[in-house]
């Protein structure tokens, strides 16, 4: 009987050791098992981080996380449809509830409404025109504001194009590289070359190009895209008054005087632009009429 008890005790001990060994082996196996979903997510995050860094490498922009809060913006410029689209209540006053990002979203929502686009663009112009808003300029281009203005220049005419050019004019000294990178130079040149273009629109477009010349790398791009030849052509000949949109079928003396002043302004800024780009290849600049 005693021997039986000894054998039984040995079996119990052996069974306990086997159970403990099994538990430990299972635990270690659980720890070493790979979570393939987790590894895939980490790989995707790493790839996205590297893609973002590569994209920002030559832009001069900071490597920052996704922006979730943007500068405050006046809601009074937004249509009820735009306010509903961004989740804001129509009629609510400003106070930081609507942001610059919301305003750019409103431009996308109302892309086919030039009247409303002009209204929102004028409000954006008031904000970025402040000389103390350099940070606002940086935020505007980070939120793809330059690309939004470029779409307006490509697909619209009239007042909204003029306001978009005025926004580019304000950004030209602080964000020249970003404006050039989005492909705006060719579009602005085409605006200047369009038959029947209003002189005030041409003047504003030339002011944008003039502002871009203060960034050396962009200045070289302007030369490659034929901006010097454009400025030189504008200093050599003034378009016929009949092509001026501001004139009526039978222009009055005041209309002719206003058109003359408008084209005088075009001649003035084109001469300044040509000087910034090294002057005429033919030698000498045309003097402004007295």
């Amino acid at each position: 009987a005693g021997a039986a008890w000894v054998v039984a005790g040995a079996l119990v001990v052996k069974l306990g050791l086997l159970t403990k060994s099994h538990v430990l082996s299972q635990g270690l196996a659980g720890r070493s098992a790979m979570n393939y979903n987790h590894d895939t997510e980490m790989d995707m995050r790493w790839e996205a981080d590297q893609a973002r860094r590569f994209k920002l490498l030559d832009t001069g922009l900071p490597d920052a996380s996704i922006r979730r809060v943007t500068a405050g913006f006046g809601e009074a410029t937004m249509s009820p449809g735009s306010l509903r689209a961004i989740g804001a209540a129509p009629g609510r006053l400003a106070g930081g509830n609507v942001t610059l990002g919301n305003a750019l979203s409103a431009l996308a929502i109302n892309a086919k409404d030039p009247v409303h686009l002009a209204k929102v663009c004028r409000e954006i112009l008031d904000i970025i025109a402040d000389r103390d808003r350099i940070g606002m300029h940086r935020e505007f281009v980070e939120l793809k504001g330059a690309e939004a203005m470029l779409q307006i220049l490509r697909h619209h005419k009239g007042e909204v194009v003029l306001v978009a050019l005025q926004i580019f004019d304000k950004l030209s000294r602080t964000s020249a590289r970003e404006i050039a990178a989005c492909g705006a130079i060719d579009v602005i040149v085409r605006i200047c070359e369009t038959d029947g273009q209003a002189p005030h629109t041409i003047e504003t477009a030339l002011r944008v190009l003039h502002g871009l010349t203060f960034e050396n790398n962009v200045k070289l791009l302007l030369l490659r895209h034929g901006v010097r030849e454009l400025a030189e052509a504008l200093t050599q000949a003034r378009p016929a008054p009949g092509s001026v949109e501001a004139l009526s079928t039978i222009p009055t003396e005041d209309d002719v005087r206003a058109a003359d002043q408008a084209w005088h302004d075009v001649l003035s800024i084109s001469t300044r632009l040509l000087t910034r780009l090294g002057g005429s290849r033919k030698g000498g600049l045309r003097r402004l009429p007295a």
Side-chain angles (χ1 to χ4, degrees):
W5 281 107
V6 171
V7 172
L11 291 174
V12 170
V13 171
K14 185 176 181 179
L15 181 60
L17 292 175
L18 290 174
T19 303
K20 184 177 181 180
S21 176
H22 177 73
V23 171
L24 289 175
S25 64
Q26 290 296 319
L28 292 174
R31 291 183 184 180
S32 62
M34 292 184 64
N35 182 349
Y36 291 99
N37 290 334
H38 177 270
D39 293 338
T40 301
E41 289 182 11
M42 293 299 294
D43 288 340
M44 292 176 63
R45 291 179 183 179
W46 185 86
E47 290 288 349
D49 176 76
Q50 295 302 307
R52 186 183 72 251
R53 292 173 184 270
F54 180 77
K55 182 179 180 181
L56 298 176
L57 182 61
D58 296 326
T59 64
L61 298 176
D63 180 23
S65 58
I66 297 176
R67 181 188 297 274
R68 302 191 183 277
V69 179
T70 58
F73 189 84
E75 288 189 21
T77 63
M78 293 193 175
S79 67
S82 299
L83 290 171
R84 285 193 297 271
I86 63 176
R92 190 174 58 190
L93 297 178
N97 294 320
V98 178
T99 68
L100 182 58
N102 296 146
L104 293 173
S105 297
L107 293 180
I109 295 169
N110 297 275
K112 296 183 179 180
D113 185 356
V115 176
H116 185 65
L117 289 178
K119 188 175 182 181
V120 177
C121 285
R122 280 194 297 270
E123 193 70 22
I124 294 176
L125 178 62
D126 290 339
I127 292 177
I128 67 173
D130 193 329
R131 293 184 179 181
D132 297 330
R133 296 296 182 94
I134 301 301
M136 181 70 74
H137 292 188
R138 185 181 303 110
E139 179 176 353
F140 183 78
V141 297
E142 287 178 357
L143 294 174
K144 304 298 182 181
E147 286 80 354
M149 295 301 105
L150 184 61
Q151 292 303 313
I152 291 176
L153 298 184
R154 282 175 170 165
H155 302 296
H156 293 279
K157 298 180 180 180
E159 181 186 5
V160 65
V161 169
L162 177 61
V163 182
L165 287 171
Q166 290 172 339
I167 291 175
F168 270 143
D169 182 25
K170 297 301 180 182
L171 296 170
S172 61
R173 301 291 185 95
T174 60
S175 308
R177 292 187 178 185
E178 290 78 6
I179 293 175
C182 72
I185 295 177
D186 284 335
V187 176
I188 295 174
V189 169
R190 284 198 295 270
I191 289 175
C192 294
E193 295 175 339
T194 301
D195 292 336
Q197 190 67 267
H200 192 25
T201 301
I202 296 177
E203 178 199 356
T204 307
L206 292 173
R207 289 187 181 280
V208 177
L209 298 174
H210 180 266
L212 296 179
T213 62
F214 291 89
E215 174 63 48
N216 290 331
N217 293 333
V218 178
K219 184 176 180 179
L220 295 176
L221 289 177
L222 294 175
L223 291 170
R224 293 174 185 172
H225 287 261
V227 175
R228 175 163 56 186
E229 289 74 15
L230 170 67
E232 187 173 357
L234 289 173
T235 59
Q236 297 299 323
R238 170 195 148 176
S243 66
V244 181
E245 293 179 355
L247 295 181
S248 59
T249 304
I250 305 178
T252 65
E253 185 177 347
D254 291 339
D255 292 330
V256 174
R257 187 181 301 110
D260 286 340
Q261 181 59 47
W263 284 112
H264 186 280
D265 294 339
V266 171
L267 181 59
S268 175
I269 186 60
S270 59
T271 302
R272 291 166 55 194
L273 174 59
L274 185 56
T275 302
R276 286 287 308 163
L277 294 175
S280 172
R281 290 184 175 181
K282 298 179 181 178
L285 292 177
R286 178 181 174 182
R287 296 175 60 97
L288 291 177

